[in-house]
Amino acid sequence: MSNFEVAVVGRGLIGSAAARHLAEAGHSVALIGPGEPEDYAASTGPFASHYDEGRITRMIDPDPAWSHLAIRSIGRYADIEERSGIGFHSGTGLVYSGADPHADLAHALELDVDAREVTAAEVAERFGINMSSADAIILEAAPAGHINPRRMITAQSRLTAAAGGTVVDAPVSAAVPTPDGVQLTVGSDTVHAQGVLLCTGAWAAELVGIDLPLERSLRTILMAELDDGPALPSLISRTDPATCEEDPRHDVYWVPPVRFPDGRVMLKIGGYDPAATMADDVPTVVDWFRSGGSVAEADDLEARLREFLPNRTIRSRDFKPCVVTNTPHDLPWIDWVDDRVAVAVGGCGSAAKSADEIGRLAGTLFTEEGWTDPVLKLESFRPSNGV
């Protein structure tokens, strides 16, 4: 049996970040979780939505907490890349239209984010993007852009191991409290840890018998191979459903074209849908990942892409399922759930870019000093109704 101070369960963006920060601070840590399933249709999970080549990176956000998380995380990208030898960040910029873009811009400027208002004509001329229906458009400069989540996890895991941490490529099937910690069944082995941090995404905390009131939104993302044209930034186009008569399901985001494992260079586009199907349990999530996603949602996303890029041709397309895990308070849920186990779950569709800071903050729960952040308070990451 292997013994550790902390076992981080969940080898995704948040978990790998938490393990790195703990290991580099001198703690004995195991980062545990399976890799990407080879065959979605045959696998019983666990699955994750970070099996992907692109996620938006930005600092502008209506919520100051998300901006602070992003600014801190993005500020460490270059160091992580340099020390791991793995590049994962591209500063292509971001075109943004939110529900209240002027307020979002004012907040971003207060935090010294390099952003400015631009016109629809400028966006059309520079990028070939049609945003003529937007009330206002913000252009956030680099380091806004996108990250490769697969490569970022690999970089974090490499640095975890370099700092003395142990990376275990296997699922956890059981967790049993002991007098001095938690005993985990990991594949055919056993791991004992004084404390456990669950970074298990849509799988939440069922592993230790804790019911967290998370919403699992079943979504489909479209990947489109485009013809040649102007280099594109990342994009977010959102409206306020309370004040806009347009269907809020038309709100979209995209990551500009990146190379996928099959060799195609493809733009990834997804949507924000308040009417999306919700999964009440893990078996429903498994069935969704095994289903391959929704053709109807993929078709809708393709139609929206054609509206934004009227002069580009879609050479080929593909689509796949993902799950967005939301919390009651629209921030990651970071807290102790008993005296041995803490969670860092619920990315709310915005956590990838900020995962390094989310993981760092979660890791401080296991340190002697504890959570001492002067700006981001632990109470902000606890839903008011608790566990």
Side-chain angles (χ1 to χ4, degrees), residues 304-323:
R304 289 294 288 143
L305 180 59
R306 293 183 185 279
E307 292 174 11
F308 277 105
L309 297 175
N311 299 317
R312 302 289 291 271
T313 298
I314 298 176
R315 291 173 170 167
S316 67
R317 77 171 207 175
D318 199 356
F319 62 91
K320 66 178 182 178
C322 72
V323 172

Side-chain angles (χ1 to χ4, degrees), residues 8-352:
V8 179
V9 179
R11 207 156 51 87
L13 286 159
I14 294 174
S16 61
R20 176 181 75 83
H21 282 284
L22 284 165
E24 292 184 345
H27 297 278
S28 170
V29 60
L31 173 60
I32 307 170
E36 184 172 350
E38 293 185 5
D39 183 356
Y40 276 39
S43 175
T44 58
F47 296 93
S49 295
H50 63 252
Y51 311 141
D52 196 4
E53 296 302 305
R55 292 291 186 86
I56 293 174
T57 285
R58 59 185 166 93
M59 300 180 187
I60 191 170
D61 196 279
D63 187 332
W66 277 115
S67 289
H68 283 291
L69 289 169
I71 289 168
R72 295 178 185 186
S73 293
I74 294 168
R76 292 193 285 266
Y77 285 177
D79 175 68
I80 297 169
E81 288 181 315
E82 181 179 0
R83 293 194 294 117
S84 69
I86 299 172
F88 55 82
H89 171 230
S90 298
T92 57
L94 168 76
V95 169
Y96 173 87
S97 178
D100 190 354
H102 291 116
D104 298 344
L105 176 59
H107 163 67
L109 295 177
E110 289 177 359
L111 297 176
D112 294 326
V113 175
D114 186 358
R116 62 184 177 91
E117 186 171 354
V118 294
T119 66
E122 182 178 349
V123 170
E125 180 180 1
R126 181 172 174 183
F127 303 115
I129 303 173
N130 174 24
M131 296 189 72
S132 57
S133 62
D135 292 334
I137 306 167
I138 308 303
L139 178 63
E140 182 180 339
H146 55 91
I147 58 170
N148 182 311
R150 287 186 174 115
R151 291 181 63 83
M152 186 173 186
I153 290 168
T154 301
Q156 298 277 36
S157 299
R158 179 176 292 181
L159 292 179
T160 297
T166 299
V167 180
V168 182
D169 183 7
V172 175
S173 58
V176 180
T178 68
D180 57 350
V182 181
Q183 182 173 301
L184 303 172
T185 301
V186 183
S188 59
D189 297 324
T190 300
V191 169
H192 184 271
Q194 297 172 29
V196 173
L197 175 62
L198 297 176
C199 303
T200 45
W203 263 246
E206 285 89 345
L207 184 67
V208 290
I210 298 168
D211 182 22
L212 302 179
L214 301 170
E215 289 186 342
R216 305 174 180 94
S217 176
L218 307 182
R219 306 312 314 274
T220 297
I221 55 175
L222 174 75
M223 289 76 71
E225 183 183 21
L226 303 175
D227 62 350
D228 294 335
L232 296 172
S234 293
L235 176 142
I236 294 175
S237 175
R238 306 188 75 167
T239 55
D240 185 350
T243 60
C244 183
E245 294 181 358
E246 294 183 22
D247 186 343
R249 287 175 295 181
H250 283 182
D251 295 356
V252 299
Y253 65 88
W254 77 40
V255 175
V258 296
R259 188 171 301 280
F260 278 75
D262 66 1
R264 287 182 293 176
V265 177
M266 307 179 82
L267 177 149
K268 185 191 82 171
I269 182 170
Y272 303 95
D273 186 356
T277 301
M278 299 296 174
D280 294 328
D281 52 34
V282 165
T284 302
V285 176
V286 172
D287 290 343
W288 175 246
F289 273 103
R290 296 181 70 175
S291 75
S294 165
V295 175
E297 187 171 1
D299 289 344
D300 181 68
L301 290 169
E302 180 177 337
R304 289 294 288 143
L305 180 59
R306 293 183 185 279
E307 292 174 11
F308 277 105
L309 297 175
N311 299 317
R312 302 289 291 271
T313 298
I314 298 176
R315 291 173 170 167
S316 67
R317 77 171 207 175
D318 199 356
F319 62 91
K320 66 178 182 178
C322 72
V323 172
V324 178
T325 306
N326 295 301
T327 65
H329 57 305
D330 296 322
L331 284 171
W333 191 325
I334 308 174
D335 198 8
W336 291 101
V337 293
D338 66 26
D339 59 355
R340 301 180 181 92
V341 179
V343 297
V345 296
C348 305
S350 299

